[in-house]
Structure formats: structure tokens, C-alpha cells
Amino acid sequence: MNITLNGQPKMLNCIATLSELLEELALNPDTVVIELNTEIIQPDAYDTQTLNEADSLEIIQFVGGG
Amino acid sequence: MLRIAGTEFSSRLFLGTGKFSSSDVMAKAIEASDCQMVTVALRRVDLTNPEDDIMSTLAKREYTFLPNTSGARDAKEAIRLAHLARAASGTSWLKLEVTPDPRTLLPDPVETLKATETLVKDGFIVLPYMNADPILALKLQDVGAAAVMPLGSPIGTNQGVLTDSMIEIIIDQAKVPVVVDAGIGAPSHAAYAMEMGADAVLVNTAISVAGDPVAMARAFAQAVEAGRTAYVAGMGQRNKQASASSPEKGNLSADLGFLE
């Protein structure tokens, strides 16, 4: 399955849900916020939210800034 | 005590968290500043090189987080970032920044007003970053901004409060707190803004790029406190003509008659 992740093309193998993707990317779900096709996904839905071909995903975090 | 949207702050210095050399220096500088409000930004996770989580560094103390919408070029982008910020932080506090031109980073007044109106209706506590325009400040206040944040000079320039005569009018008219943001490059600039009657100042670059950011944070805290105390004490009026500080009348001897 091919998706767009943070603006870059990404091929996913054997990954069905957001939780599985976060695990593969070694990201702590508590430190990020996720937009799937411009809709914010609530953390309690990460386990059930499935990914589909051509999805556009943004994984965002807080950084230092003024 | 400074009060914004029902929350009280004993410190009138807000700190930005950008451009620190390490998260350890940042945490120590924030602690040294005694500030209670810190700004943070949202960015895409760099998947090849994920950064440390800034929130866990800052979670050791109780700060009010003020996520910003830096990077937004129009109201639509700012609103999108605002919702992401609220989802990520659980707070409705928002420093609204709409800067279409990366060269000047000056705020777009029209888009800022539009976004403020929408975000206030969406339940955000909006503190818009704005040019030092007294009419715009009134309009932002009218649509529900919790405070207004006029710039002293462009972001990151350390040029100080170049907009002072306009900020004086904004302070004079405002019913909401006035936070002077951007361009404050030295503790004396911060003190000057506070002496004018600003309710608070927001400082980032001047502290984060200082030779010793922790000591500089302390210097800013002292300056903000001094400026505020001076404002409350009531400053003497400026006069064009000299007026002697020493008594003009005295009973000195004849050979010192010129002193009479």
C-alpha cells in the first residue's frame, strides 16, 4: 500500500492500523498528533483506524518555538 | 497580578522555547526566568531524525503552554494548526501567528482578524500576534481576543520597541492585556515596554541565543519586574526645560551668593 506520509511517498507492508505504523516508526503516540486526510484522529482511535491506499497522513509534534 | 482569560500569572515575562542549544539549557533558562507561560510550535515529525519531545522536558514544572501557529500563511492554515495544537496539548490557549512573508515575518492583519474571529467561536483562548496598529487591536479585542500581542520590531531582530508611540495608544485603549511580542533584544527593551504599561512581554531569541541563556533569562526577569514596578509607581513627566533637583532657596553665606 502506498500512502503519503508528511509529504513524502511511503510504501507500507503488513501495516493495517495507525498504532502499527507508529510502532514501526518508533514514535510515542503520546507525543504526536495525527491528521489523516486532513482530519485529526483522536488517540483512542489509533488501534482501530485503518490505513488505505493513497491516504495522506501528517504526523506532527511540538517543538521549540516563539 | 496579570489575568488573561481568567488565569492569573504572577510573572509578566512569557518565554519562547525556540533556538536553544539544548533542551537542558532551555529548561534551565525557563526556570531562571520564573515565567509561567511558554510558547511552543508545531512541526512535522522528522521521521529520519525524531527530536526529543519538548513537552516531556517542560512537563516537570507547571507552565501554561501557549502553542503558536507559526508557519501559517493565511487564516485557513492557522485554523488548521490551531486545531492540531489543541488536539496535541489539550489546551485551548493559542498564540495566533499569520505571517505570509518569510522575509519579514510580519503579521497579516486581515487574515489574523479573520482567524481570531473563527477561533474564538471555536472556543480557543486567542492571543493574536499583530503589528502595532491601534485600530486593529480594538478590532481584535471586539471579536474576542483574550489579549493582543503587538510587535516591538520584526521577529528575531533584537531591535527593541521601535513601535513605542503606537504601543502607547494600544495600551491606552485596550480592555484586554497587551503583551509586547517580538523584537525585544535586551532587558532594557523589556523594561521600557513594561514602564509604558504593557501587561507582559514575550521574549525568545534574546534569551536563547545569548552567551549565557540562563543568566540572560534572569536578567530579563529582573528587567520586567523593574519596569512593572516603575509603571505602578508612576513615572515623572518628561519636560523640555530643566528643573533643579536640589532646593533653589537656601540661606548660605554672602560669598556663596551665586548659589542664591
Side-chain angles (χ1 to χ4, degrees), chain A residues 6 35 58-59 61 63 65-66, chain B residues 39 41 43-45 80 95:
Chain A
N6 286 4
E35 233 188 34
E58 295 282 356
I59 306 182
Q61 69 175 164
V63 297
Chain B
T39 63
R43 288 292 177 271
R44 279 173 166 165
V45 174
R80 186 175 173 194
K95 176 184 165 184

Side-chain angles (χ1 to χ4, degrees), chain A residues 15-54:
Chain A
I15 286 173
T17 66
L18 274 182
S19 288
E20 288 167 19
L21 177 64
L22 289 175
E23 200 179 326
E24 153 120 347
L25 296 170
L27 292 174
N28 179 350
D30 296 336
T31 65
V32 298
V33 58
I34 298 177
E35 233 188 34
L36 176 59
N37 303 324
T38 74
E39 290 284 321
I40 296 169
I41 307 298
Q42 298 304 320
D44 56 10
Y46 291 173
D47 282 342
T48 51
Q49 180 65 54
T50 53
L51 292 165
N52 296 298
E53 181 72 25

Side-chain angles (χ1 to χ4, degrees), chain B residues 85-98:
Chain B
R86 183 158 67 183
S89 67
T91 171
S92 296
W93 288 86
L94 187 77
K95 176 184 165 184
L96 176 64
E97 265 182 80
V98 185

Side-chain angles (χ1 to χ4, degrees), chain B residues 222-237:
Chain B
Q222 290 163 347
V224 168
E225 204 180 324
R228 177 66 187 177
T229 305
Y231 171 72
V232 173
M235 309 252 290
Q237 263 199 337

Side-chain angles (χ1 to χ4, degrees), chain B residues 150-175:
Chain B
L151 59 83
S153 50
I155 293 173
T157 61
N158 291 335
Q159 291 182 48
V161 189
L162 303 182
T163 53
D164 46 2
S165 54
M166 293 300 121
I167 286 182
E168 274 180 357
I169 300 173
I170 293 172
I171 290 168
D172 194 43
Q173 296 180 341
K175 293 192 186 72

